[in-house]
């Protein structure tokens, strides 16, 4: 029955995931956990006392790790099958622009990571879009791939793995630019309701430029480098539309920017 199903949230960077995390915490309280140990054994052990688990990317034993990497490596997706799995995807050009301004704001913490990889931190937006490792991060996350340099760029095999994960887990895909409608899907699938009518936008950067304010030639360059993410986004968008067509009207929310 639906009441027995747990929620698993695959948090892709810069897709509204921190906002969704706050919503999950408000609904599930102490039964919601963010995963910090990606080993399959740890994930399995945590299932006994949780209703909802988030998989994101964090440091683990000194290395950046996707928190679903243990499940991927040991093919333990059986732990999640039959439950409600969610993720958020974002139009790739908008996501890339958002990431650039996030990196600027977090430069103090991010630049040492770049240096450790032998990569120069981008001083301008043009330098940023010259680095292929800044693109297709949505595909890379779902495919459990780390882009450390130009030789490890996301390819069609990674795209196939990302699509296969969405399909195998019958993932419910939300879209950042249709956040309220995505929460409608979440409520319809889980039978849970978001408390109140205010959603706090977490991590929203007031300093970032809009997509339209970025020169068209640069937007086109981003799009050209985001082939796998463009295809993944369209694939996920259709999954979202299929879910959304089964939902009733979306509730009216007030969106407020949370303090950074």
């Amino acid at each position: 029955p639906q009441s027995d199903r747990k929620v698993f949230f695959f948090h892709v960077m810069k897709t509204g995931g921190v906002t969704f995390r706050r919503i999950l915490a408000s609904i599930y309280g102490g039964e919601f956990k963010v995963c910090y140990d990606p080993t399959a054994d740890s994930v399995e052990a945590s299932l006994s006392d949780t209703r909802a688990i988030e998989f994101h990317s964090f440091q683990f034993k000194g290395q950046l790790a996707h928190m679903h990497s243990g499940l991927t490596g040991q093919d333990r997706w059986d732990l999640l099958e039959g439950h409600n799995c969610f993720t958020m995807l974002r139009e790739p050009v908008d996501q890339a622009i958002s990431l650039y301004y996030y990196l600027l704001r977090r430069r103090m913490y991010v630049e040492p990571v770049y240096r450790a990889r032998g990569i120069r931190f981008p001083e301008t937006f043009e330098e940023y879009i010259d680095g292929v490792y800044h693109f297709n991060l949505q595909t890379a996350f779902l495919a459990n791939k780390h882009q450390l340099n130009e030789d490890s760029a996301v390819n069609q095999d990674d795209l196939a793995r990302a699509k296969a994960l969405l399909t195998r887990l019958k993932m419910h895909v939300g879209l950042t630019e249709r956040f309220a409608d995505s929460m409608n899907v979440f409520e319809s699938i889980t039978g849970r309701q978001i408390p109140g009518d205010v959603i706090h936008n977490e991590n929203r950067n007031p300093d970032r430029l809009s997509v339209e304010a970025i020169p068209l030639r640069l937007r086109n360059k981003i799009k050209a480098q985001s082939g796998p993410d463009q295809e993944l986004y369209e694939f996920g968008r259709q999954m979202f539309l299929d879910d959304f067509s089964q939902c009733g009207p979306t509730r009216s929310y007030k969106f407020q920017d949370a303090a950074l």
Side-chain angles (χ1 to χ4, degrees):
Q2 179 65 52
S3 59
D4 291 340
R5 293 186 176 185
K6 298 180 187 293
V7 164
F8 296 99
F9 171 44
F10 288 77
H11 177 178
V12 182
M13 178 181 278
K14 303 310 297 175
T15 61
V18 178
T19 302
F20 196 8
R21 176 190 297 168
R22 180 174 177 143
I23 288 170
L24 290 172
S26 72
I27 293 172
Y28 295 99
E31 292 185 306
F32 166 67
K33 289 186 177 178
V34 178
C35 177
Y36 292 106
D37 182 339
T39 59
D41 286 347
S42 174
V43 173
E44 184 171 20
S46 69
L47 295 179
S48 60
D49 61 349
T50 54
R51 299 294 308 157
I53 296 176
E54 175 193 313
F55 299 111
H56 192 31
S57 302
F58 297 108
Q59 291 288 326
F60 180 71
K61 294 186 176 179
Q63 298 288 328
L64 184 66
H66 301 318
M67 291 296 113
H68 57 287
S69 59
L71 300 176
T72 303
Q74 296 185 35
D75 195 26
R76 288 306 314 275
W77 297 118
D78 59 288
L79 295 175
L80 277 59
E81 288 175 327
H83 295 288
N84 294 322
C85 297
F86 294 87
T87 196
M88 298 289 296
L89 296 179
R90 186 174 190 171
E91 192 284 315
V93 175
D94 189 31
Q95 195 246 9
I97 295 168
S98 178
L99 177 62
Y100 170 70
Y101 286 98
Y102 174 80
L103 293 176
L104 285 187
R105 183 174 281 272
R106 305 278 296 174
R107 180 169 182 165
M108 182 193 316
Y109 308 101
V110 174
E111 190 165 15
V113 178
Y114 275 69
R115 281 201 300 268
R117 296 175 176 179
I119 300 171
R120 183 170 176 265
F121 188 88
E123 296 294 339
T124 65
F125 189 71
E126 285 84 350
E127 281 187 20
Y128 165 75
I129 63 175
D130 280 339
V132 297
Y133 34 78
H134 292 133
F135 302 100
N136 300 303
L137 298 182
Q138 303 181 75
T139 303
F141 175 75
L142 293 174
N144 187 38
K145 180 168 187 172
H146 289 285
Q147 299 181 93
L148 302 178
N149 51 54
E150 299 205 2
D151 296 329
S152 59
V154 169
N155 56 38
Q156 289 295 308
D157 288 342
D158 301 315
L159 174 62
R161 281 195 293 275
K163 286 182 174 180
L165 182 63
L166 295 181
T167 302
R168 176 169 179 178
L169 295 180
K170 299 180 172 63
M171 197 89 74
H172 302 290
V173 177
L175 304 179
T176 307
E177 51 274 21
R178 293 186 62 175
F179 199 89
D181 290 338
S182 301
M183 294 304 98
N184 184 6
V185 170
F186 170 80
E187 291 183 330
S188 299
I189 295 295
T190 63
R192 301 288 189 122
Q193 192 163 31
I194 298 169
D197 61 356
V198 176
I199 290 179
H200 294 275
N201 282 326
E202 304 285 343
N203 253 355
R204 188 173 181 276
N205 189 342
D207 301 328
R208 67 154 282 179
L209 292 180
S210 67
V211 173
E212 295 73 25
I214 300 294
L216 181 60
R217 66 179 178 83
L218 298 181
R219 281 184 272 155
N220 286 339
K221 187 172 180 179
I222 294 170
K223 195 164 187 176
Q225 297 200 77
S226 302
D229 265 12
Q230 293 284 347
E231 193 170 332
L232 180 73
Y233 176 80
E234 288 304 323
F235 185 81
R237 181 173 170 273
Q238 190 56 57
M239 297 177 79
F240 163 77
L241 292 173
D242 290 345
D243 274 341
F244 186 64
S245 68
Q246 305 297 314
C247 297
T250 297
R251 290 167 60 199
S252 180
Y253 296 104
K254 299 184 186 76
F255 286 87
Q256 295 180 355
D257 287 352
L260 282 170

